[in-house]
Amino acid sequence: MNEHDTDVLDALRASLADVTLDTPLETIVADGRARRRGRRIALTAGATAVAAGLALGVPSYGHPSTAPPTSSDALATGAGTVHIRTAAYSVDSLKSGALRVSWDKQAYFDDHAGLEKALHEAGFPVQMKVGEFCKGPNDDGKLEHGVGTGVDQVMKGRRVADDKVTFDFFPDAMPAHTELFIGYLDSAQLAITGGRPGSVERLVPTDQPLTCTTELPSDSP
Amino acid sequence: MKELEFAEFYRSSRDVCLRAVLAGVGERQLAEDLVAEAFTRAWVAWPKVARHPAPRAWVVRTALNTRISWWRRRRREVALADGHDVVVPPVTEPGLDPALLALLRRLPRRQREVIAFRVFLDLDTEATAKALGIAPGTVTAHLARAVATLRGHLVTADAKDTPEAGK
């Protein structure tokens, strides 16, 4: 390697020098504990329940018993709360009023209708489509990172880990006569993007007709 | 003791590992998720990881493998025609040079991985070769090609930042 090569690599290092990981150690340790405990339970539960797609009783991701849950993470109980466990996804009401939803990425493609139904039952208005992208008549079409205006108020991603994804949904923050639209790439569109999974989220009106297209939307310049 | 060891390892390694994985995947959010997942796996398997000759390399390798396993599953499921591991420019990354990230994403996967281990983890050629399971000569070749590709962007970027003499 010559001096010029070293200069290039130094410049490359410098360009990423300010990048830091903000995930707290406590989160890593809590997730590790939950995973280790989940493994033990899954081993004793056996394969029958898994094959049947039944709830295993394994604590959900992000709720390690060895670490006290924060008030915003605590599960809600009682009337009007929802706790759904399937092999494909889970939906839990939290004491904060949010819904914590975790799903298997592949199951999302196979059973987005099931997840949509589960969220409806939990009181969160959402419309999911695969291969189709919809918006309301007054939507300017602007997207940032594939997300439309206001979506960050009703939905926040928590962690993507290999084949699982977890989101918190906030039903109370949903404006009136509005629902969340989630459009996922279908297999043909995935081929266009080189296999990169992706989705578009927008807030759309429930009382006006939507305009839908199979064209892949792009981020605003 | 285990907790303290891991905590110290995490504190001293997380940023370095994130930069390495970011160079490997070219997308900030994805890199963060992969590194957090890899550290979680490292915690679960800490007795083994602690004995690894290069624990940071274990984390970065795990993070990159996690991504590959996801891609492989997706590719099988949707039966893509071309099967290339092409990454579409995803989003603007705050505080980062989007053109540089786009350029990194366009590099072949092996070149990105060599940069991750050789440049950001500062492993030597032999250790990089061992971590990636390729020959040392292949590491050198990949790095040379990557540098050739990156030079245009980085040198141009540097030149823009440097005032011309006499002005």
Side-chain angles (χ1 to χ4, degrees):
Chain A
M1 190 177 299
N2 61 36
E3 186 181 330
H4 297 300
D5 291 348
T6 306
D7 289 347
V8 171
L9 298 180
D10 285 346
L12 179 59
R13 281 192 198 95
S15 67
L16 302 188
D18 294 334
V19 174
T20 57
L21 184 65
D22 298 327
T23 307
L25 170 67
E26 291 74 19
T27 302
I28 300 292
V29 173
D31 288 354
R33 284 185 176 137
R35 193 166 303 181
R36 183 179 285 172
R37 192 160 51 91
R39 278 184 188 171
R40 284 199 297 268
I41 295 172
L43 283 172
T44 57
T48 308
V50 176
L54 301 174
L56 277 174
V58 179
S60 63
Y61 174 80
H63 298 100
S65 68
T66 47
T70 65
S71 58
S72 63
D73 283 347
L75 296 182
T77 57
T81 61
V82 175
H83 300 284
I84 301 170
R85 294 282 196 285
T86 76
Y89 55 81
S90 66
V91 180
D92 281 303
S93 299
L94 304 184
K95 282 186 175 174
S96 64
L99 293 167
R100 179 151 302 162
V101 183
S102 178
W103 68 78
D104 181 283
K105 285 179 179 173
Q106 176 53 33
Y108 186 98
F109 287 90
D110 290 344
D111 189 25
H112 69 278
L115 181 58
E116 181 180 325
K117 183 168 178 287
L119 280 167
H120 273 289
E121 288 173 2
F124 188 84
V126 62
Q127 180 180 169
M128 297 179 173
K129 287 182 182 291
V130 175
E132 213 175 341
F133 308 97
C134 302
K135 63 179 185 177
N138 299 319
D139 192 322
D140 59 10
K142 286 183 179 174
L143 294 172
E144 188 173 355
H145 305 184
V147 174
T149 305
V151 171
D152 60 338
Q153 300 300 309
V154 301
M155 171 186 185
K156 290 190 192 303
R158 284 177 58 81
R159 169 77 69 83
V160 179
D162 199 2
D163 54 357
K164 287 281 186 186
V165 61
T166 298
F167 287 101
D168 283 351
F169 293 89
F170 307 102
D172 294 344
M174 182 67 75
H177 309 297
T178 306
E179 66 182 359
L180 176 67
F181 171 84
I182 303 179
Y184 239 73
L185 276 60
D186 64 18
S187 57
Q189 291 157 344
L190 282 167
I192 294 171
T193 68
R196 177 183 167 72
S199 61
V200 169
E201 286 86 33
R202 284 188 174 115
L203 295 186
V204 298
T206 54
D207 53 1
Q208 297 178 68
L210 303 184
T211 305
C212 299
T213 175
T214 56
E215 293 280 319
L216 283 176
S218 58
D219 272 3
S220 306
Chain B
M1 179 56 78
K2 172 196 165 182
E3 298 286 339
L4 290 175
E5 278 182 8
F6 180 83
E8 177 53 33
F9 171 65
Y10 183 69
R11 272 190 285 270
S12 65
S13 304
R14 60 182 177 179
D15 295 341
V16 172
C17 290
L18 175 60
R19 290 168 200 147
V21 174
L22 177 56
V25 302
E27 186 183 336
R28 171 70 181 265
Q29 187 58 52
L30 175 62
E32 284 192 16
D33 293 334
L34 293 174
V35 171
E37 168 65 15
F39 271 111
T40 299
R41 294 185 186 186
W43 186 89
V44 172
W46 182 242
K48 182 183 85 173
V49 178
R51 291 196 306 271
H52 192 280
R56 288 179 176 178
W58 187 97
V59 169
V60 171
R61 181 73 270 171
T62 299
L64 295 175
N65 280 347
T66 299
R67 177 169 186 262
I68 290 169
S69 65
W70 162 242
W71 282 114
R72 283 177 179 158
R73 275 200 299 278
R74 287 296 322 145
R75 285 215 296 263
R76 277 202 303 274
E77 286 149 8
V78 300
L80 294 181
D82 57 11
H84 292 304
D85 185 3
V86 177
V87 182
V88 171
V91 293
T92 302
E93 309 284 358
L96 290 170
D97 177 357
L100 174 61
L101 293 181
L103 192 58
L104 284 170
R105 287 192 293 266
R106 285 200 293 273
L107 291 178
R109 178 171 60 86
R110 275 300 189 201
Q111 289 185 26
R112 283 183 268 130
E113 289 178 343
V114 166
I115 286 175
F117 286 87
R118 185 78 178 80
V119 179
F120 286 95
L121 290 191
D122 208 21
L123 298 185
D124 61 23
T125 300
E126 291 287 338
T128 300
K130 193 171 181 182
L132 293 175
I134 57 180
T138 308
V139 170
T140 306
H142 281 313
L143 187 60
R145 290 187 195 115
V147 167
T149 305
L150 293 170
R151 177 178 286 116
H153 173 80
L154 290 168
V155 169
T156 304
D158 282 352
K160 283 178 185 168
D161 295 339
T162 306
E164 289 180 40
K167 291 195 174 179

